[in-house]
């Protein structure tokens, strides 16, 4: 210990530079390059999420319907989606039940859409019926959320939509 004390006493007096604090602050700030990379990464992540959201909401178009009933179901599905676009801005405040129900129905619609993209002609009709039914429930949920509490059944969909 005494050796350390003696060594410290032998050090010359030190006067810090006048701009020492500002140089220290500049050294501790993140480099502008790092900020740009972070911003670019966040922008890329937001773009990917937006693209996934748009694709998720788009109905499948892979199957060209030969059956007039499937054509009618596809048209009904498109009409319901247009109606949803008009309803969404009208819902100002979401109740937790409505939000959970909407999320569950949208997840089920996404699952049906995935199955429709790979469906055989025989199973397409059932899947389109399921899609229209889910969209009907989604429209009803949005209408109920826009009007406040109502008698609309709000049990989450959580059904298996398969052939």
């Amino acid at each position: 210990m005494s050796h350390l004390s003696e060594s410290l006493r032998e050090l010359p007096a030190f006067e810090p530079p006048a701009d020492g604090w500002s140089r220290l602050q500049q050294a501790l700030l993140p480099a502008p390059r790092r900020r740009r990379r972070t911003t670019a990464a966040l922008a890329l992540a937001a773009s990917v999420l937006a693209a996934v959201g748009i694709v998720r909401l788009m109905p499948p178009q892979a199957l060209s319907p030969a059956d007039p009933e499937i054509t009618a179901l596809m048209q009904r599905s498109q009409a319901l989606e247009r109606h949803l676009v008009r309803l969404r801005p009208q819902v100002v405040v979401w109740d937790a039940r409505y939000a959970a129900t909407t999320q569950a129905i949208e997840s089920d619609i996404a699952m049906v859409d995935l199955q429709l993209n790979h469906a055989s002609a025989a199973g397409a009709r059932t899947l389109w019926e399921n899609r229209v039914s889910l969209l009907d429930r989604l429209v009803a949920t949005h209408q109920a959320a826009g009007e406040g509490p109502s008698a609309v059944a709000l049990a989450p969909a959580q059904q298996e939509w398969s052939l």
Side-chain angles (χ1 to χ4, degrees), residues 56 91 93-107 138 141-142 144-145 154 156:
R56 181 176 165 211
V91 180
V93 178
W94 278 96
D95 176 293
R97 289 180 313 149
Y98 292 122
T101 300
T102 298
Q103 204 280 324
I105 294 170
E106 287 176 349
S107 291
L138 191 57
T141 302
H142 275 76
L154 292 175

Side-chain angles (χ1 to χ4, degrees), residues 13 113 122:
D113 287 349

Side-chain angles (χ1 to χ4, degrees), residues 47-88:
S47 299
V48 169
L49 287 174
V52 167
I54 290 170
V55 169
R56 181 176 165 211
L57 293 176
M58 291 174 48
Q61 301 295 329
L63 188 65
S64 61
D67 184 354
E69 289 181 37
I70 292 177
T71 303
L73 288 167
M74 290 173 94
Q75 290 171 346
R76 174 74 178 142
S77 174
Q78 291 170 350
L80 286 166
E81 287 189 5
R82 284 190 300 272
H83 188 60
L84 268 173
V85 168
R86 288 189 305 272
L87 279 177
R88 282 193 173 122

Side-chain angles (χ1 to χ4, degrees), residues 116-156:
L116 272 169
N117 284 325
H118 304 287
S120 65
R125 180 174 177 221
T126 303
L127 288 169
W128 277 106
E129 288 170 347
N130 291 341
R131 189 175 204 285
V132 168
S133 173
L134 288 165
L135 283 169
D136 276 330
R137 287 188 60 212
L138 191 57
V139 166
T141 302
H142 275 76
Q143 287 171 334
E147 297 168 0
S150 73
V152 175
L154 292 175

